[in-house]
Amino acid sequence: MKGKITISLIKPYAVKNGYAGQILAKINEAGFRISAMKYVQLSLGQAKKFYAIHNGQKYFEKLVNFMITGPIVVLLLEKEDAVASYRKLIGATDPHRAEEGTLRKLFGASIEMNAVHGSDSDENAIKEANFFFSEMERF
Ligand code: CMP
């Protein structure tokens, strides 16, 4: 699976604003296959664990507190060169700098409250997939 999967989170702000459907449509149009999907509310401990590689950054507390403000949609996506391809679809972390038409440009509010997460490497995609999905939940 290495190279073929990535994890996306549709974050609380985008879910609350009703953007999940439009984001899913764009993911489909871009040729990703959704091999697992769920709607979850993270606890503070789970958010800290998921974003552990960011622990120590000045934005860490804000990030994890934002991520527990409401439910998120978690997606396991499959495509050739999935990590890079999905990062292209979502655009730069800061929606104000993201390219026109990207998910973060279209649906994000700020760097702290951007619309979606995408794995940043194949190794992290595998770790993140294992964090959220058991084998029984993957199709
Ligand atoms: P995400 O792809 O979910 O991964 C880490 C998140 O940290 C990132 O999106 C941003 O929403 C958030 N973040 C907040 N401030 C910063 C910053 N200055 N640089 C990078 N990421 C930041």
Side-chain angles (χ1 to χ4, degrees):
M1 265 307 157
K2 197 171 177 217
K4 289 201 166 65
I5 64 163
T6 192
I7 284 284
S8 174
L9 307 181
I10 304 178
K11 299 189 184 184
Y13 169 86
V15 171
K16 267 190 195 137
N17 282 285
Y19 299 147
Q22 293 173 73
I23 292 173
L24 284 168
K26 293 211 171 278
I27 288 171
N28 274 329
E29 281 161 23
F32 290 89
R33 194 177 84 78
I34 298 172
S35 58
M37 173 161 69
K38 66 171 110 179
Y39 206 25
V40 293
Q41 165 79 57
L42 293 176
S43 67
L44 183 60
Q46 288 166 333
K48 284 184 171 173
K49 195 169 172 196
F50 179 77
Y51 278 118
I53 51 172
H54 297 269
N55 201 343
Q57 301 289 341
K58 63 179 186 325
Y59 56 82
F60 182 71
E61 291 300 324
K62 244 186 178 179
L63 170 65
V64 293
N65 283 308
F66 164 60
M67 290 302 292
I68 62 168
T69 57
I72 59 170
V73 178
V74 188
L75 304 163
L76 176 56
L77 302 175
E78 264 179 48
K79 193 183 177 187
E80 211 56 55
D81 203 12
V83 167
S85 178
Y86 190 63
R87 289 177 76 79
K88 197 165 173 218
L89 179 67
I90 67 180
T93 308
D94 182 350
H96 303 297
R97 287 166 191 248
E99 303 72 10
E100 288 301 324
T102 59
L103 299 182
R104 282 169 167 166
K105 180 75 172 186
L106 288 167
F107 304 112
S110 64
I111 192 163
E112 285 91 9
M113 299 209 297
N114 65 11
V116 290
H117 163 80
S119 310
D120 65 0
S121 67
D122 292 338
E123 287 70 24
N124 285 335
I126 291 165
K127 277 188 202 155
E128 292 174 5
N130 291 337
F131 180 83
F132 280 112
F133 297 110
S134 70
E135 216 164 287
M136 276 176 66
E137 295 173 308
R138 304 179 190 204
F139 300 94

